[in-house]
Amino acid sequence: MTVDPVLTYGGETLSYRVQTDGSRTTKIAIHVEPDGEVIVDAPDGADPAEIRRAVHKRARWVFAQVEKASERFRHVRDKEYVSGEEVLYLGRRYVLKVIKGDTHRGAVKLKGNRLEVPSRSGSPESVSAGVWAWYRVKARDYFDRRLAEWEQKLPWISSRPPFRLQEMEKRWGSCTADGAIILNPHLIKAPRECIDYVILHELAHLRHHNHSPEFWKTISFADPDWQRKKALLDGAAEQLTAK
């Protein structure tokens, strides 16, 4: 069940999304995503009136968190893909170097503190395509290796689940009903510890396909420091998703 009701507070309104997954949890949990989306996890068959009461009870907190998210994104500018611009990779900052017309140098590569991108035309579209092809290759390789590491650590994982990359506007990752892991390639820009948090989060959904208290206990058991990493990731969301 998915509905999109609205919350009113102080003369302002915003929509929120209710999601259920058939879990046995009896809790209603409210989350504000880094981009400001409000998501309410509720047990299957929950009374809509009870959900509304729970959301309205936390209306002040919800609006405050949405405002914080909006403030973070207010100063984000789209990238121009020109030499001298900053690019992020695994939490580190590099300087973009466009090598116009010099395509014989081959593929995009890191060289010292620079990300060198050969481009025949040097156009933003060409450079962007080169950077993103490189990001996707690096993301696929790095995420696969980290999934392999977590597979050995987590007792509820008997075999490594399949995973794929998918750009998502509002999520770092997802776990499908049939146990596949989806990861946002933008995540390759984040610090390694933040990437590990997202991968752990999605792998925990193989045990609890919800955000119940048991789910968060599972996360805490595997990584007691997850809250700091999540806060670090949330705080950098606007930079990491800029395109």
Side-chain angles (χ1 to χ4, degrees):
M1 177 185 73
T2 302
V3 295
D4 293 294
V6 297
L7 172 63
T8 301
Y9 180 78
E12 298 183 36
T13 62
L14 59 81
S15 62
Y16 58 93
R17 178 161 59 91
V18 178
Q19 61 183 21
T20 61
D21 55 22
S23 67
R24 297 179 179 179
T25 180
T26 60
K27 301 284 187 179
I28 295 174
I30 305 168
H31 313 278
V32 178
E33 297 296 297
D35 66 351
E37 183 187 20
V38 181
I39 299 175
V40 180
D41 289 323
D44 198 27
D47 183 353
E50 182 183 357
I51 296 173
R52 285 195 298 272
R53 284 193 296 271
V55 175
H56 280 268
K57 186 176 180 180
R58 301 199 67 192
R60 183 176 180 179
W61 177 86
V62 169
F63 272 86
Q65 297 306 307
V66 169
E67 177 58 29
K68 287 181 181 179
S70 298
E71 184 63 31
R72 287 199 303 267
F73 278 87
R74 220 163 260 152
H75 307 294
V76 177
R77 296 187 302 174
D78 289 339
K79 288 192 172 296
E80 298 177 9
Y81 291 98
V82 295
S83 289
E85 194 169 41
E86 177 186 275
V87 290
L88 296 171
Y89 173 59
L90 292 178
R92 294 187 60 186
R93 302 174 189 274
Y94 295 88
V95 177
L96 179 63
K97 174 66 175 178
V98 179
I99 307 173
K100 186 176 178 180
D102 194 6
T103 56
H104 74 276
R105 297 187 63 172
V108 177
K109 62 182 177 182
L110 281 177
K111 188 174 181 180
N113 70 336
R114 298 183 305 183
L115 181 66
E116 296 186 346
V117 184
S119 170
R120 187 177 299 278
S121 67
S123 69
E125 294 78 14
S126 171
V127 176
S128 172
V131 170
W132 271 97
W134 181 82
Y135 269 143
R136 292 184 72 88
V137 169
K138 292 296 184 180
R140 188 174 293 109
D141 178 65
Y142 186 76
F143 297 164
D144 187 61
R145 284 188 282 120
R146 295 313 301 154
L147 280 164
E149 289 287 331
W150 279 109
E151 176 193 354
Q152 301 302 315
K153 296 178 182 178
L154 302 177
W156 65 88
I157 305 294
S158 57
S159 62
R160 193 188 326 174
F163 95 95
R164 68 178 187 270
L165 300 177
Q166 180 180 318
E167 287 192 51
M168 296 175 278
E169 292 184 3
K170 299 178 179 180
R171 294 183 179 220
W172 292 117
S174 180
C175 179
T176 67
D178 58 359
I181 303 298
I182 303 171
L183 296 171
N184 192 329
H186 281 284
L187 188 61
I188 196 63
K189 306 174 194 175
R192 297 170 191 266
E193 60 183 345
C194 295
I195 296 173
D196 268 5
Y197 160 70
V198 173
I199 291 175
L200 171 61
H201 184 112
E202 300 312 330
L203 290 175
H205 278 311
L206 295 175
R207 190 175 190 183
H208 303 286
H209 208 75
N210 51 54
H211 288 104
S212 64
E214 290 74 20
F215 169 83
W216 294 111
K217 287 178 183 177
T218 297
I219 294 279
S220 295
F221 174 80
D223 183 5
D225 195 32
W226 70 266
Q227 289 176 302
R228 180 188 62 81
K229 298 170 185 176
K230 181 180 185 301
L232 179 62
L233 184 62
D234 290 349
E238 73 281 4
Q239 287 182 305
L240 299 175
T241 56
K243 207 175 171 185

